[in-house]
Amino acid sequence: MRLLILGTGSMANSHAKAFAAIDGVTLAGAVDVDPGRAEAFRAEYNIERAFTSLEEALAWGEFDAVANVTPDSIHHATTLQCVAAGKHVFCEKPLAANYEDAKEMADKIEAANLVGMVNLTYRNVAQLQAARKLVTSGQIGKVKHVEASYLQSWLVAKMWGDWQTESRWLWRLSKKHGSNGTLGDVGVHILDFVVYGTDTEIDEVFCRLKAFDKAPNNRIGEYELDANDSFTMTVSFTNGALGVVHSSRWATGHVNELRLRVYGDKGAFEVVHRHDGSKLLVCLGDDIETATWKEVEVEPVATNYQRFVEAVKQGKTLEPSFRHAAKLQKAIDLANVTESDRKEHRITA
């Protein structure tokens, strides 16, 4: 497979390293609007060609697939260009800025019989995949209740840098710079963690968003700090279960942690994925009577990058697909609607 990397920002480095390590993959081209960045990226990863526009790269056309690592707001337009040119697409999350665009992307790539997959990176957590098998095999019985969280602490700690002085963090706090806050940034990750781990789909959502005061007049330079920092969401699922999902960038003591607890009528599991490792804990069989939890060791799994290469080889889309990501975006859109309507439901005027 010959691959074009579209966009050379920080996440593009992960794509370049991961794809270059896969047998049979050639990094054929790199695109960035800044000629210097494009050339530097090309040289660093020994890529054949560098381009300053997608149009220029498509006119050349000597590649099979595209890793779309552009800013979120242009995933839709750039992906449709690639699909029109007959290229398979591996897109960064979120697939699009809204459900309508995401659905169009899914419709068009399916109609073109091309592979369209989304880099929902936490599918790479082996413990999550093992947990899903506890559901699909019936070992935990019928799922009744779900708890999930995605906790980060970069607004209170500087392990990833100082958000008050670095544009790479400040834009994530500003709506006019394209951010939909925590919900838009990591909401898609934790919702995917939930629906994949429980082998179900989201039926209904009800969400609350909060942007806390962070600076005088909530502004730093050109950045108005108005995007949500935290969200809490209640969710019902098509399998009948009820759940609670929440996330915050103010989670002191949690660098980057996803947690999923799933309770069935025959057993339960907990998946914890942190920056320093992952665990799968289960309570099954006779252990239910004593509330005893045991850790389960699991084997490594194929990454999204490897699955995309395999999908292109087979000519058949594997998960996580554009269609799946569009469904997640619909849930996020509905979450925003419930927040915008909240004044109609307040207890006090």
Side-chain angles (χ1 to χ4, degrees):
M1 186 182 80
R2 290 174 59 79
L3 181 72
L4 178 81
I5 298 182
L6 178 60
T8 65
S10 59
M11 193 62 195
N13 294 288
S14 298
H15 285 249
K17 292 172 184 176
F19 280 118
I22 300 173
D23 288 343
V25 176
T26 298
L27 301 185
V31 181
D32 195 291
V33 294
D34 183 303
R37 286 199 304 262
E39 176 55 30
F41 191 84
R42 185 208 66 75
E44 182 174 359
Y45 295 105
N46 195 30
I47 299 171
E48 291 179 9
R49 298 279 297 270
F51 305 93
T52 56
S53 73
L54 175 57
E55 292 76 11
E56 183 185 358
L58 290 173
W60 175 59
E62 295 184 21
F63 53 93
D64 310 297
V66 178
N68 190 341
V69 205
T70 58
D72 300 352
S73 61
I74 60 173
H75 285 175
H76 173 254
T78 52
T79 294
L80 292 186
Q81 285 181 265
C82 296
V83 171
K87 309 300 181 183
H88 306 288
V89 181
F90 184 69
C91 188
E92 260 306 315
K93 64 81 193 172
L95 180 58
N98 56 67
Y99 172 67
E100 289 74 17
D101 285 351
K103 181 179 183 299
E104 182 183 9
M105 293 162 74
D107 289 344
K108 289 193 172 178
I109 205 160
E110 289 171 2
N113 199 31
L114 295 167
V115 172
M117 293 175 61
V118 180
N119 192 27
L120 293 165
T121 53
Y122 297 108
R123 288 292 184 94
N124 303 335
V125 177
Q127 288 78 4
L128 178 67
Q129 296 199 28
R132 176 185 169 90
K133 292 177 182 177
L134 295 175
V135 177
T136 58
S137 66
Q139 290 184 70
I140 69 166
K142 184 173 177 59
V143 175
K144 300 292 188 180
H145 191 79
V146 177
E147 299 175 67
S149 60
Y150 192 148
L151 303 177
Q152 296 181 327
S153 60
W154 58 267
L155 285 176
V156 291
K158 296 184 175 63
M159 290 186 69
W160 294 346
D162 186 353
W163 66 268
Q164 298 181 74
T165 60
E166 298 180 25
S167 60
R168 66 181 179 134
W169 300 117
L170 283 168
W171 83 264
R172 297 178 185 273
L173 306 175
S174 175
K175 291 180 181 179
K176 78 173 185 178
H177 285 82
S179 176
N180 189 22
T182 303
L183 179 63
D185 189 16
V186 303
V188 68
H189 277 314
I190 191 59
L191 291 179
D192 180 63
F193 212 72
V194 170
V195 299
Y196 181 75
T198 57
D199 186 37
T200 189
E201 299 285 351
I202 294 171
D203 187 27
E204 297 176 318
V205 301
F206 185 80
C207 186
R208 288 292 171 259
L209 308 175
K210 180 76 172 183
F212 294 91
D213 292 338
K214 292 178 285 295
N217 299 315
N218 278 314
R219 179 181 292 275
I220 295 178
E222 66 180 287
Y223 298 94
E224 185 177 353
L225 311 181
D226 57 351
N228 63 85
D229 307 319
S230 298
F231 74 79
T232 59
M233 182 187 299
T234 55
V235 185
S236 62
F237 301 96
T238 54
N239 65 2
L242 191 67
V244 179
V245 181
H246 68 99
S247 180
S248 182
R249 293 166 173 163
W250 291 100
T252 306
H254 296 271
V255 178
N256 191 68
E257 177 188 290
L258 291 86
R259 188 180 296 264
L260 173 63
R261 296 186 177 104
V262 177
Y263 306 102
D265 56 12
K266 294 181 181 179
F269 67 76
E270 178 177 5
V271 179
V272 183
H273 176 71
R274 290 166 41 91
H275 64 288
D276 54 1
S278 306
K279 290 183 178 181
L280 170 60
L281 303 172
V282 300
C283 183
L284 299 168
D286 293 340
D287 288 339
I288 295 173
E289 301 300 331
T290 57
T292 300
W293 291 77
K294 297 175 181 176
E295 184 173 356
V296 177
E297 296 298 324
V298 300
E299 295 296 320
V301 295
T303 66
N304 287 338
Y305 304 103
Q306 292 168 322
R307 284 195 293 273
F308 178 68
V309 172
E310 182 61 28
V312 171
K313 184 184 299 184
Q314 295 180 11
K316 180 181 179 181
T317 294
L318 302 176
E319 294 296 337
S321 66
F322 276 23
R323 183 66 60 188
H324 171 74
K327 291 178 182 178
L328 295 179
Q329 190 60 49
K330 187 173 186 179
I332 291 172
D333 286 5
L334 290 173
N336 277 307
V337 169
T338 64
E339 167 63 19
S340 63
D341 289 346
R342 70 175 182 161
K343 291 182 180 179
E344 300 177 11
H345 308 289
R346 283 185 173 174
I347 295 174
T348 56

